[in-house]
């Protein structure tokens, strides 16, 4: 297990470097002189100079990258072009919101998808299976912001059960924190739930057709033991494998959902940065979320080793 | 079905019958309605005895055994007639949960593919202990102890260590031993082995057959051994049931079958054994040579759902006469304890391997 | 299938098994083999009712979008403040928005925008994905390693965040937004093409073709492209749906289409401030998005099931 961990960590390094190239490379994509373009059409000469200074655009490109990545490793992602604030600090302030949201969404997605996938796979061709399949197709086709609005319309505007907007920090009032997260998390988690339901249905159906499941049944094991012990652990492998992508999707989707429910998370920061063309802030957010995704992938790899002894002992 | 003019090949009840199958019929749901793939098969297996079922691919061997285990797909199959009695209980009419109680305990099955028939995600010890705990009400430790015991019994070296290994850490032959250990963990009355040795090379195959034989003798089990391979039959079986197109076509003691087959299909099977081994096929040493699949008789077996009228083998049979196509042959007794489903069984003299 | 055999009893020394032909390996030849790939596809596809419905729905949508100026009941930009925020009625089938513009007419033009935008994104993804995918798959070696690593890296960045960042760099408008969506879809096409090409490359006829001096371009065009076509078509259909979703999200955020034009996503985006007063402004365009995306997804799945197994394996 330890060897697996070390191996995965080592594999992460080149990818991390490439990601940082891509993120830093964003500045190269800015058309024309980045400083002028980023300053906007009506900027003063001083402002352009200030931007050039901030980004260190006068230095050779490699030196610029070296400075940026050197800071990033120490947690310094530069300063906002717009407010002059530290990017890292701005991100740190808003991370709890986004993490709460994405975490809750993942939890809700699994709470929906695992039972739905099992019911569908063990009732192939029956009404329960059709319901799960149709539900999953709808979940994948629905834009999250629209689903969110429908939920708000239903639970806030018409029924008045849940708050439509706002965020209460967990430390302040855990109950209110949870209540305010229900609708956003459901909105964000729906697509992940749909995708996971589909995958679990497919993989569990495959697994239940395997010879070792027949063996388990030949041993006289009860149906629930066959499905939950012999089926689920193996069926979880492909589902877990793509969990990293799911988290990436959730982090991306949270931008929309935070905007919709007025949650003060990374999403709002990113949108404001884009509208202000605040490049260091954009780079910071992208790099940060990519690192989160990579950490999740690492956890997934370890989980994979636990589920699949062949990998662990190899 | 008309009444056969001879009694079905069952043996005197005074000897210990472990599994008694009578007129077993299995049908599967297909696009064209219910298709019969096993048609009125009867046999019995005695305690301490091995009955081999042989036949070409698709003849219904596996379906027959799965029916006895209650493992046929519940929605797409049915058994419109027949019984399979174990200790006086008809397995075919048993409720699902009651069947689950017997399965793995009184009647157990070991499967062909040792690679895919064991769960890759759990240790072999876990998978063996699980059966014991399920049927013996045993504590965790007790199940584990039994796992070590049976692994040792089937000849896995350093069983106490290996019990913690995963299936992929074993070789094919060892995995097959694990399968056997799992099946005999509760000392079943009946052990069904479906193509247990097909995937193995000959030396390993002989070892695994030895294990089966030893376990049978030690535990006094009845063994139902399904195979393609007549050399294996010669090695392990006491009696043989030959199946063709879902029917039993010949049944006899193993020596008599090899020496004097009474059904042309059996003769064809014997002929298609590789020459080198046919000479000594009926002796236990013959295992080493041929392991060809029995698909070498000219022509194709009929497909379920479109069986030829009359004798099902007639279209491929070099001895077929008009009577074969006109009438459905019954099982005829050719000698004591030797039956064949062939109208001409009594007049033909067929060539055996000795 | 069955052969007739002599029915008279064989002579004593006659070998009854003289017809024995050795180890028979006669396999029933599949009649479907002779059917052309296209015919088989059409037969399989037309038997899938749901996919046919989806195809018809997409055809309808495309037609409406193409003939937008002629089919709209009202001028999509004409404001009528006295009739603002009206619920659906006989005059305004889908109601009106905050300045009294007809929702249906705006949606018809929105369909045009959304479809074109999605097509643009998918085209970008095709160019950015298929070309490097061909190169990586065909040449292998370090080119492949580098391209695959880059793909891995891009896939580690949350897709929507990358898209937003790209829009941030180029500036917010529909064209840039769709370029960004194309970029985030490109890795899928790259992986797909790469694995399909690798599978084809193993085939001997390619070796043969190369050894007689056919140029690489010709080999790609003649042997490789036909083989990767079907998985690509499937992926294109699925991606059209996801591109519409992405466009809707970006436009909802105000990073895509700019007023006074409106795609369906943008219409939901402006409508949500009037959620309690005029829920139809949100519900109807959103529902249209759901149906359109569903249609593309169902079509994609149907296409996947209609192509042969090889293509299915190569997909993903
Ligand atoms: N689940 C099923 N549904 C429909 N038909 C089936 C099913 N299982 C088996 N059959 C059919 O029943 C017939 C007998 O199959 P069976 O598996 O018993 O053959 P077999 O004698 O064991 O052959 P093999 O030597 O290849 O294992 C075959 O024609 C097969 O197609
Ligand atoms: Mg079989």
């Amino acid at each position: 297990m330890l060897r697996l961990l070390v191996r995965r960590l080592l594999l992460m390094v080149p990818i991390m470097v490439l990601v940082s190239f891509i993120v830093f490379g964003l500045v190269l994509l800015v058309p024309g002189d980045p400083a002028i373009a980023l300053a906007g059409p009506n900027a003063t000469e001083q402002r352009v100079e200030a931007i050039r200074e901030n980004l260190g655009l006068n230095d050779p490109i490699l030196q610029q990258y070296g400075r940026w990545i050197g800071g990033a490793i120490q947690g310094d992602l530069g300063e906002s072009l717009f407010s002059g604030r530290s990017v890292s600090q701005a991100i740190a302030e808003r991370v709890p919101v986004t993490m709460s949201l994405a975490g809750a969404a993942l939890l809700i997605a699994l709470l929906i998808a695992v039972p739905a996938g099992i019911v569908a796979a063990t009732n192939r061709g029956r009404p329960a299976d059709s319901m799960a399949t149709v539900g999953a197709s709808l979940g994948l086709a629905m834009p999250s912001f629209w689903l969110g609005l429908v939920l708000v319309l239903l639970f806030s505007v018409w029924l008045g059960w849940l708050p439509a907007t706002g965020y209460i920090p967990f430390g302040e009032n855990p109950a209110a924190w949870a209540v305010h997260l229900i609708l956003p998390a459901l909105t964000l988690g729906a697509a992940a739930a749909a995708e996971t339901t589909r995958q679990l249905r497919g993989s569990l159906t495959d697994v239940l057709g395997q010879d070792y499941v027949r063996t388990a049944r030949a041993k006289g094991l009860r149906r629930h033991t066959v499905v939950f012990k012999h089926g689920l652990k193996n069926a979880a492998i492909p589902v877990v494998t793509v969990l990293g992508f799911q988290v990436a999707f959730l982090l991306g989707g949270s931008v929309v959902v935070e905007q919709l429910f007025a949650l003060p998370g990374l999403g709002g920061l990113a949108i404001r940065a884009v509208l202000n063309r605040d490049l260091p802030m954009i780079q910071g957010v992208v790099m940060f979320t990519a690192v989160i995704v990579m950490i999740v992938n690492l956890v997934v790899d370890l989980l994979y080793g636990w589920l699949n002894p062949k990998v662990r002992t190899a | 079905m008309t009444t056969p003019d001879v009694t079905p090949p069952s043996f005197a009840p005074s000897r210990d019958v472990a599994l008694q199958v009578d007129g077993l019929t299995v049908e599967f749901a297909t696009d064209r309605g219910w298709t019969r793939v096993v048609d009125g098969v009867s046999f019995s297996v005695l305690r301490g005895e091995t009955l081999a079922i042989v036949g070409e691919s698709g003849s219904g061997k596996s379906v027959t055994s799965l029916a006895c285990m209650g493992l046929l797909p519940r929605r797409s199959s049915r058994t419109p007639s027949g019984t399979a009695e174990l200790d006086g209980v008809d397995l075919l009419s048993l409720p699902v949960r009651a069947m689950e109680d017997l399965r793995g305990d009184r009647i157990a099955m070991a499967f062909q593919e040792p690679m895919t028939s064991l769960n890759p995600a759990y240790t072999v010890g876990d998978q063996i202990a699980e059966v014991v705990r399920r049927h013996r009400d045993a504590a965790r430790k007790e199940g584990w102890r039994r796992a070590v015991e049976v692994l040792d019994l089937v000849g896995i070296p350093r069983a106490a260590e290996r019990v913690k290994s995963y299936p992929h850490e074993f070789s094919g032959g060892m995995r097959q031993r694990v399968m056997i250990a799992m099946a005999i963990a509760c000392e079943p009355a009946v052990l069904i082995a479906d193509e247990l040795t097909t995937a193995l090379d000959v030396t390993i195959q002989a070892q695994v057959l030895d294990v089966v034989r030893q376990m049978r003798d030690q535990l006094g089990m009845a063994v139902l051994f399904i195979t393609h391979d007549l050399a294996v039959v010669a090695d392990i079986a006491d009696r043989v049931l030959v199946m063709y197109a879902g029917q039993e076509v010949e049944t006899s003691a193993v020596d008599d079958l090899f020496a004097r087959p009474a059904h042309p299909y059996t003769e064809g099977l014997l002929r298609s054994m590789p020459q080198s081994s046919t000479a000594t096929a009926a002796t236990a040493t013959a295992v080493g040579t041929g392991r060809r699949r029995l698909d070498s008789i000219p022509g194709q077996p009929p497909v379920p759902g479109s069986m030829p009228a009359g004798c099902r083998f007639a279209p491929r049979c070099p001895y077929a006469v008009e009577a074969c196509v006109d009438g459905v042959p019954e099982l005829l007794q050719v000698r004591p304890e030797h039956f064949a489903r062939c109208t001409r069984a009594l007049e033909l003299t067929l060539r055996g391997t000795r | 299938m069955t052969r007739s055999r002599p029915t008279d009893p064989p002579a004593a020394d006659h070998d009854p098994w003289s017809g024995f032909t050795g180890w028979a390996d006669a396999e029933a030849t599949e009649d479907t083999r002779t059917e052309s790939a296209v015919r088989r596809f059409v037969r399989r596809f037309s038997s899938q009712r749901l996919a046919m419905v989806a195809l018809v729905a997409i055809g309808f949508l495309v037609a409406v979008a193409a003939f937008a100026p002629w089919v709209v009941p009202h001028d999509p930009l004409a404001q009528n403040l006295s009739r603002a925020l009206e619920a659906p009625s006989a005059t305004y089938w889908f109601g009106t928005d905050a300045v009294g513009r007809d929702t249906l007419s705006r949606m018809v033009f929105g369909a045009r925008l959304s479809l074109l935008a999605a097509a643009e994104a998918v085209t970008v993804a095709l160019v950015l994905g298929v070309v490097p995918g061909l190169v990586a798959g065909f040449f292998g070696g370090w080119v492949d390693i580098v391209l695959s690593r880059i793909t891995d890296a891009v896939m580690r960045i949350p897709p929507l965040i990358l898209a937003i960042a790209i829009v941030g760099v180029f500036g917010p408008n529909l064209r840039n937004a769709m370029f960004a969506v194309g970029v985030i879809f490109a890795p899928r096409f790259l992986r797909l093409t790469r694995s399909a090409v690798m599978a084809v490359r193993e085939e001997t006829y390619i070796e043969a073709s190369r050894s007689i001096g056919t140029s690489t371009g010709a080999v790609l065009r003649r042997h490789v492209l036909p083989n990767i076509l079907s998985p690509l078509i499937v992926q294109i259909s699925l991606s059209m749906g996801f591109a519409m979703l992405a466009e809707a999200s970006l436009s909802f955020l105000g990073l895509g289409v700019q007023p006074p034009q409106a795609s369906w996503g943008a219409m939901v985006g402006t409508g949500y401030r009037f959620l309690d007063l005029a829920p139809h402004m949100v519900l109807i365009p959103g529902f249209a998005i759901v149906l359109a995306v569903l249609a593309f997804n169902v079509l994609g799945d149907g296409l996947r099931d209609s192509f042969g197994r090889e293509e299915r394996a190569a997909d993903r």
Side-chain angles (χ1 to χ4, degrees):
Chain A
M1 209 68 181
L2 194 69
R3 268 186 36 210
L4 183 73
L5 178 68
V6 171
R7 208 164 48 208
R8 296 298 160 158
L9 272 173
L10 287 179
L11 267 176
M12 247 173 84
V13 173
I15 295 197
M16 194 88 95
V17 171
L18 272 171
V19 168
S20 71
F21 277 162
I22 294 170
V23 173
F24 181 77
L26 286 172
V27 71
L28 303 177
L29 290 177
V30 179
D33 180 343
I36 295 176
L38 294 174
N42 316 317
T44 60
E45 191 59 34
Q46 283 149 307
R47 170 116 178 94
V48 173
E49 257 328 296
I51 289 176
R52 192 161 290 157
E53 183 65 22
N54 181 320
L55 294 178
L57 290 174
N58 296 321
D59 300 331
I61 188 74
L62 268 181
Q63 200 178 327
Q64 290 178 40
Y65 171 75
R67 198 167 44 229
W68 181 76
I69 192 70
I73 288 170
Q74 294 162 33
D76 174 12
L77 289 163
E79 276 141 32
S80 162
L81 286 184
F82 193 68
S83 63
R85 287 195 56 205
S86 149
V87 170
S88 311
Q89 219 165 38
I91 290 177
E93 267 167 28
R94 285 164 171 262
V95 160
V97 182
T98 301
M99 287 302 153
S100 303
L101 177 60
L106 190 62
L107 185 71
I108 287 185
L110 291 177
L111 285 179
I112 295 173
V114 171
I118 292 173
V119 166
T122 51
N123 291 283
R124 284 292 288 230
R126 297 221 184 104
D129 179 26
S130 313
M131 266 170 56
T133 313
V134 170
S137 302
L138 274 178
L140 283 177
M142 263 190 282
S144 60
F145 56 88
W146 184 71
L147 173 66
L149 288 172
V150 171
L151 290 177
V152 165
L153 199 60
L154 205 64
F155 291 106
S156 306
V157 179
W158 289 343
L159 295 173
W161 291 352
L162 292 167
T165 56
Y167 177 81
I168 314 281
F170 180 82
E172 230 166 76
N173 182 347
W177 170 81
V179 167
H180 279 81
L181 271 181
I182 293 178
L183 285 185
L186 198 58
T187 304
L188 182 57
E195 181 65 29
T196 310
T197 302
R198 271 190 159 199
Q199 270 162 3
L200 187 59
R201 173 182 181 268
S203 69
L204 189 57
T205 303
D206 276 356
V207 166
L208 290 180
Q210 293 293 316
D211 288 344
Y212 55 77
V213 167
R214 187 182 57 184
T215 307
R217 292 189 38 199
K219 291 196 282 191
L221 301 181
R222 293 291 185 209
R223 195 172 161 66
H224 58 87
T225 317
V226 173
V227 172
F228 286 92
K229 179 173 176 184
H230 290 272
L232 215 50
K233 191 171 173 189
N234 290 291
I237 292 176
V239 177
V240 164
T241 314
V242 294
L243 216 57
F245 292 106
Q246 295 280 19
V247 169
F249 248 89
L250 288 178
L251 285 177
S254 71
V255 176
V256 176
V257 175
E258 284 170 15
Q259 206 62 1
L260 185 67
F261 288 95
L263 303 179
L266 288 178
L269 198 64
I271 301 286
R272 192 137 44 83
V274 165
L275 293 176
N276 293 333
R277 310 200 74 188
D278 187 351
L279 194 62
M281 190 65 90
I282 297 175
Q283 288 173 324
V285 172
V286 176
M287 193 65 211
F288 179 78
T289 51
V291 168
I292 299 278
V293 171
M294 278 186 278
I295 291 172
V296 170
N297 270 315
L298 189 68
V299 175
V300 164
D301 282 341
L302 297 182
L303 210 57
Y304 186 80
W306 175 71
L307 287 169
N308 190 347
K310 258 185 230 177
V311 177
R312 195 189 323 153
T313 50
Chain B
M1 217 187 185
T2 53
T3 344
D5 51 357
V6 291
T7 47
S10 58
F11 286 74
S14 60
R15 291 180 62 185
D16 252 346
V17 176
L19 179 67
Q20 171 83 49
V21 172
D22 272 308
L24 173 67
T25 300
V26 181
E27 296 178 344
F28 282 107
T30 64
D31 306 339
R32 287 163 286 126
W34 290 99
T35 311
R36 192 163 287 198
V37 299
V38 173
D39 197 356
V41 169
S42 303
F43 60 86
S44 58
V45 205
L46 309 181
R47 230 168 270 281
E49 176 200 56
T50 303
L51 172 71
I53 303 186
V54 279
E56 278 169 305
S57 197
S59 53
K61 308 182 296 289
S62 297
V63 171
T64 302
S65 59
L66 291 174
C68 297
M69 290 291 290
L71 285 177
L72 291 173
R74 222 174 317 146
R75 271 193 284 172
S76 62
S77 76
R78 64 178 188 189
T79 49
S81 65
T83 57
E85 279 188 15
L86 175 81
D87 304 332
V89 180
D90 179 18
L91 301 175
L92 300 185
S93 55
L94 222 49
V96 176
R97 291 181 73 86
M99 186 67 222
E100 282 174 1
D101 289 337
L102 290 186
R103 222 190 274 148
D105 184 12
R106 304 293 300 139
I107 179 168
M109 189 157 177
F111 295 94
Q112 169 182 3
E113 286 294 333
M115 187 69 220
T116 56
S117 291
L118 293 169
N119 194 328
Y122 296 98
T123 60
V124 297
D126 185 313
Q127 294 182 62
I128 298 173
E130 174 180 53
V131 208
V132 182
R133 292 211 310 277
R134 162 75 177 88
H135 294 294
R136 289 284 174 273
D137 233 4
R140 209 169 187 89
K141 230 161 125 196
E142 174 63 20
W144 203 256
R145 198 190 51 71
R146 177 67 180 157
V148 177
E149 202 172 278
V150 284
L151 281 180
D152 191 49
L153 211 57
V154 297
I156 288 186
R158 296 179 293 116
E161 281 168 51
R162 299 295 273 155
V163 73
K164 294 189 205 85
S165 305
Y166 288 90
H168 70 269
E169 297 169 291
F170 289 87
S171 66
M174 286 294 153
R175 240 175 277 162
Q176 208 50 287
R177 285 174 198 248
V178 171
M179 276 302 289
I180 297 172
M182 197 185 293
I184 63 165
C186 290
E187 309 198 347
V190 178
L191 170 68
I192 303 177
D194 190 352
E195 315 233 2
L196 195 61
T197 55
T198 306
L200 305 176
D201 73 49
V202 279
T203 28
I204 311 291
Q205 183 176 0
Q207 292 168 5
V208 170
L209 290 180
D210 268 339
V211 171
V212 172
R213 215 182 341 258
Q214 277 171 24
M215 294 303 108
R216 178 195 66 190
D217 295 342
Q218 278 182 25
L219 306 175
M221 293 185 300
V223 176
L224 188 60
F225 201 97
I226 295 171
T227 180
H228 275 111
D229 190 338
L230 282 173
V232 170
V233 172
D235 184 6
I236 193 152
D238 300 307
R239 286 187 303 119
V240 186
L241 173 77
V242 182
M243 282 188 73
Y244 183 76
Q247 293 179 323
E248 45 179 325
V249 293
E250 183 162 5
T251 169
S252 145
V254 66
D255 292 335
D256 203 30
L257 186 100
F258 278 85
R260 290 187 292 167
H263 196 287
Y265 176 62
T266 312
E267 187 191 41
L269 290 184
L270 291 174
R271 277 189 64 101
S272 47
M273 286 176 73
Q275 280 312 303
S276 50
S277 67
T278 42
T280 50
T283 69
T285 52
V287 190
T289 23
R291 281 196 307 118
R292 299 268 193 176
R293 305 206 115 212
L294 298 179
D295 50 6
S296 44
I297 298 171
Q300 300 277 319
V303 231
S306 56
M307 291 295 174
C311 173
R312 293 181 178 178
F313 186 60
R316 299 168 74 189
C317 181
Y319 305 102
V321 294
E322 255 151 64
C324 296
V325 188
D326 295 343
V328 178
E330 297 296 341
L331 270 183
L332 290 180
Q333 182 159 25
V334 280
R335 275 180 293 282
E337 311 204 339
H338 193 148
F339 298 79
R341 189 184 296 279
C342 175
T343 324
R344 307 184 62 198
L346 295 170
E347 69 185 88
L348 290 173
T349 312
L350 302 177
R351 219 177 296 171
T353 54
R354 285 192 295 198
Chain C
M1 190 188 86
T2 49
R3 261 172 279 176
S4 59
R5 298 209 150 250
T7 47
D8 48 322
D13 62 340
H14 171 73
D15 184 351
W17 295 96
S18 56
F20 179 65
T21 50
W23 314 113
D25 54 356
E27 245 170 48
T29 42
E30 213 183 313
D31 327 341
T32 48
R33 281 284 170 72
T34 52
E35 194 180 5
S36 83
V38 176
R39 294 262 309 268
R40 185 186 54 192
F41 168 76
V42 169
R43 177 174 53 79
R44 283 208 223 161
F45 185 78
S46 52
S47 70
Q48 300 190 44
R49 224 176 306 152
L50 215 55
M52 290 297 280
V53 172
L55 186 63
V56 171
I58 291 168
F60 175 75
L61 190 63
V62 171
V64 165
F67 300 107
W70 296 279
V71 298
V72 289
H74 303 273
D75 179 351
L77 296 179
Q79 306 187 358
N80 184 353
L81 286 173
S82 62
R83 306 203 63 171
L85 296 178
E86 267 186 32
S89 66
T91 336
Y92 299 114
W93 288 6
F94 287 176
T96 59
D97 69 4
V99 289
R101 292 178 295 197
D102 176 37
T103 304
L104 176 58
S105 304
R106 289 178 65 71
M107 276 179 66
V108 169
F109 275 90
R112 202 176 219 195
L113 223 56
S114 296
L115 281 176
L116 277 179
E120 190 187 325
V122 172
T123 310
V124 171
L126 272 172
V127 173
L128 292 183
V130 172
V131 175
L134 281 175
V135 171
F138 200 74
F139 296 105
W142 64 268
V143 188
D144 176 38
I145 293 174
V146 169
L147 285 169
S148 296
R149 285 290 156 272
I150 293 177
T151 316
D152 283 348
V154 172
M155 288 177 105
R156 290 291 182 278
I157 303 174
L160 201 57
I161 291 193
L162 180 58
I164 289 171
I166 294 172
V167 172
V169 169
F170 288 121
N173 65 47
L174 189 59
R175 171 125 308 148
N176 292 344
M178 288 302 102
F179 173 78
V181 173
V183 170
I184 62 176
F185 281 180
R188 286 162 173 256
F189 283 96
L190 194 150
R191 287 194 160 186
L192 183 84
T193 311
R194 174 180 169 275
S195 64
V197 173
M198 287 202 151
V200 177
R201 201 175 57 148
E202 303 299 316
E203 307 282 344
T204 44
Y205 59 86
I206 294 216
E207 271 315 308
S209 173
R210 286 176 93 176
S211 64
I212 58 168
T214 317
S215 76
T216 303
V219 170
L220 282 177
R221 207 167 45 243
R222 220 171 294 150
H223 299 298
V224 177
L225 220 52
N227 278 290
I228 62 171
L229 211 55
S230 29
L232 274 184
I233 291 172
V234 172
Q235 192 58 50
I236 287 172
S237 179
L238 294 174
S239 297
M240 279 296 288
F242 287 120
M244 286 186 84
L245 275 184
E247 180 275 325
S249 294
L250 289 174
S251 292
F252 170 82
L253 292 175
L255 302 180
V257 65
Q258 302 298 322
Q261 285 194 312
S263 69
W264 295 346
M267 290 175 74
V268 176
T270 46
Y272 99 96
R273 272 171 288 143
F274 309 98
L275 189 62
D276 42 350
L277 292 175
H280 69 266
M281 280 180 63
V282 161
L283 293 180
I284 295 176
F287 203 63
I289 300 176
V290 175
L291 288 183
V293 175
L294 203 57
F296 277 112
N297 286 356
V298 168
L299 179 66
D301 286 345
L303 288 170
R304 190 205 315 262
D305 292 345
S306 308
F307 288 123
R309 202 201 289 133
E310 323 81 74
E311 285 84 352
R312 235 180 295 173
D315 183 33
R316 224 169 214 286

